[in-house]
Amino acid sequence: MILRGERTILRPIDISDIDRLLNINDEEVRQYLLSVFPLNRIREEEWVKNLYASQRDIVFAIVPVETNQLVGTTGLHSIDWVNRCAEFGIAITDRNYWNLGLGTEATQLTLKYAFEYLNMNRVQLLVYEYNHRAIRVYEKCGFVREGVLRKARYLKGEYHDVIVMGILAEEYFSRQSSR
């Protein structure tokens, strides 16, 4: 499956994307992600080779239309096919593409896939309280704040709150019909 927006394409990740995936080791990028361990080419290659073996995770490369090169990833994780819910994740790992609207469009395309193709009822996410840019994107795309995990993130000597956000199918489709 390939999803196309005006400026962004979501496509399957390929082994040729590995060098660009290693941008994930950038400390500024890493502060917004769950993972704290450094990744090398060998680990990334294993991850890509096993990426599509499970039906619990669906991950796409985020590719700007003009470059056709991976600048990040987005996807649905821990998919629960019975209860029709999934966890959303996104990372624009190439900082040259921050603040250009690619994250917003990639989020919208992933939600379209979740609700219109996979028949999900709920998509949820966790975001760190200090990730103001991501919170704005999520709210713009229809996610609502549902709760707070107090002091659940440790970074550089401080604990931070983690915000729980979610969007339901009925909210997604209501937003689509009002456009």
Side-chain angles (χ1 to χ4, degrees):
M1 171 73 71
I2 296 175
L3 303 166
R4 296 180 192 281
E6 290 179 22
R7 294 171 298 185
T8 311
I9 297 169
L10 301 187
R11 63 159 172 79
I13 295 174
D14 191 78
I15 206 82
S16 64
D17 293 320
I18 288 176
D19 288 335
R20 303 224 15 112
L21 285 167
L22 289 172
N23 286 338
I24 202 165
N25 286 311
D26 180 323
E27 184 179 7
E28 194 171 348
V29 171
R30 203 51 168 260
Q31 70 183 328
Y32 301 116
L33 305 178
L34 296 174
S35 178
V36 294
F37 299 109
L39 297 170
N40 63 19
R41 192 172 201 3
I42 295 166
R43 289 293 306 263
E44 283 297 277
E45 192 169 314
E46 282 177 29
W47 180 72
V48 170
K49 285 180 179 176
N50 294 312
L51 194 55
Y52 302 106
S54 164
Q55 291 186 356
R56 299 217 354 110
D57 297 286
I58 299 171
V59 182
F60 292 101
I62 301 171
V63 176
V65 170
E66 72 274 0
T67 68
N68 200 31
Q69 287 195 333
L70 179 145
V71 298
T73 61
T74 185
L76 301 166
H77 306 281
S78 303
I79 299 171
D80 180 338
W81 295 103
V82 173
N83 296 301
R84 297 177 27 235
C85 59
E87 292 180 22
F88 173 75
I90 187 169
I92 304 291
T93 56
D94 185 333
R95 287 188 283 143
N96 295 314
Y97 289 88
W98 286 5
N99 300 313
L100 299 177
L102 298 179
T104 300
E105 190 170 72
T107 300
Q108 292 166 337
L109 289 169
T110 306
L111 290 175
K112 177 179 181 163
Y113 183 68
F115 293 119
E116 296 182 27
Y117 290 88
L118 300 180
N119 193 29
M120 289 290 118
N121 183 56
R122 172 185 172 77
V123 176
Q124 63 192 34
L125 62 85
L126 300 176
V127 60
Y128 304 130
E129 67 180 342
Y130 55 81
N131 195 347
H132 304 290
R133 181 175 49 243
I135 293 167
R136 278 193 308 276
V137 167
Y138 301 146
E139 289 174 339
K140 185 176 175 180
C141 292
F143 284 90
V144 297
R145 294 174 191 234
E146 297 179 336
V148 175
L149 304 174
R150 297 176 305 143
K151 306 296 180 200
R153 164 69 165 166
Y154 178 79
L155 180 68
K156 297 180 183 177
E158 291 183 56
Y159 286 94
H160 302 274
D161 290 346
V162 177
I163 300 167
V164 179
M165 300 181 80
I167 182 171
L168 302 176
E170 62 195 53
E171 295 164 337
Y172 170 82
F173 286 112
S174 174
R175 290 173 57 87
Q176 297 308 306
S177 66
S178 66
R179 288 187 177 186

